[in-house]
Amino acid sequence: MEQYAIHGGQPLIGEVEIGGAKNAALAILAAAIMTDDVVTIENVPDVRDTKVMLEAIESIGGRVEHIDRHTVKIDASKINDFIVDGEAVKKIRASYYFLGALLGKKNKACVVLPGGCNIGQRPIDMHLKGFRALGAKNEIIGNGRVETVAEKLTGAHIYMDVVTVGATMNVMMAAVLAEGKTIIENAAKEPHIVDLANFLNSMGAKVKGAGTDVIRITGVESLHGSTYAIIPDQIEAGTYMMAAAITNGNVTVKNVIPRHLESISAKLSEIGCKVIESDDSVQVIGTSQLTRTHIKTLPYPGFPTDMQPQMAVALALSDGTSIVTESIFENRFKYVGELLKMGADINVQGNSAIIEGVSCFKPAPVVAPDLRAGAALVLAALAADGFSTVEDIRFIERGYEDFPEKLRALGGNISKVDSEEELNRFKFRVVS
Ligand code: EPZ
């Protein structure tokens, strides 16, 4: 089975180009089908989840043309179905964006209930509340499918009981073609929410206030074609920034929007790293002894939950006691058991992890439990002096493009291997 073979102990040093934001791309690719004109999307990250979204668009009659590795042309004029199903779609969370996009376009949608990282119950009640408010009838129709149908979509005043990225984006999509005005209160403010709103507005939608907790939408008759480039991925960037802290290296992430990384940069400074910001890059210089601190994950602009595992790995190597509190998802500490195999000293109590820093990690075979935890375990293995392996890397490949290649370019000793023989060849190469 494919796994990463890692020989850790070297600092990561150099520059890394950050790709398009996965969590913006997944919503924008779904929104692209809302017009019958051709849409060109640039800076699409080439990862498993975006591939699945593009396959889903083709499965309902959309045409996808790959201009280059990161640019796609989408023609949804021939979409002939409103049911999005299939083995691949079941595995990703973002399939639910076809509910908002198709409800907006065709007044009906039927999508297999979302999969995605097993980090909590992850209900979709707020998505369905928003569709209902716009005039749709929602029904769980068996086979794990949810259907939402409306005679007509009419603007509404919707209050989100919880701050939810997915529901904010899904309801925004359905509302842009509803008749009249929609207000979404207690909206999520992540950079990818703003990116989706900017994309929809580039197609002629009228969305105001994205990035604040009140989004105002005036419905339009139809949307037209557009060419749009996706923002850089703040979590991919944060992961490589954290890699500099964890390996006491010196990494510059390029093609980023520093403002989107503020909470991550602030915490890296707090634990003793030097953080140097430029217009479109951030340099992180590690230190031989990281300092403890506390973290609480919060909706943007708070510290992102998708950076929680990576930050915990850095704190596990710091001096003293740190507390990490996960306030977004109820099951996002599954990586702790794997880190304990590497000598970490972490005790999970409810939604907090009490971390006693250790001087170093021991190499070990570990298993990725989900996307961000998997990336965090790779960073831990790169800090551990000796051979480690990380299994279930399919999770990691859902959200990180060329992860081993980019880490190797920074001096990391990591390869994807698919057999015992390849693993032994990797070990032989390292020791010879
Ligand atoms: C998106 O998930 C991201 N995934 C997640 O990234 C990210 O962790 C999360 O937003 C928070 O930033 C994608 O964009 C594909 P939510 P999403 O709706 O939309 C509760 C990664 O690693 N909730 O903001 O599912 C929910 O249970 C992934 O890239 C409801 O109660 O997250 C959670 O506790 C992992 N009812 C909280 O809100 C709902 O209807 C935040 O969830 C919806 C959500």
Side-chain angles (χ1 to χ4, degrees), residues 22-23 26 49 93-94 96-97 117 119 121-128 162-167 169 190 192 305-306 327-330 332 371-372:
K22 165 183 84 86
N23 291 343
L26 297 172
D49 279 12
R93 178 100 186 136
Y96 61 25
Y97 287 133
C117 288
I119 51 180
Q121 188 218 335
R122 304 182 83 178
I124 61 166
D125 54 334
M126 291 298 111
H127 300 241
L128 301 179
V162 292
V163 175
T164 147
V165 167
M169 300 229 255
E190 272 70 6
H192 28 296
T305 175
D306 292 348
S327 69
I328 308 291
F329 291 108
E330 61 272 29
R332 201 161 201 174
L371 164 56
R372 305 302 176 183

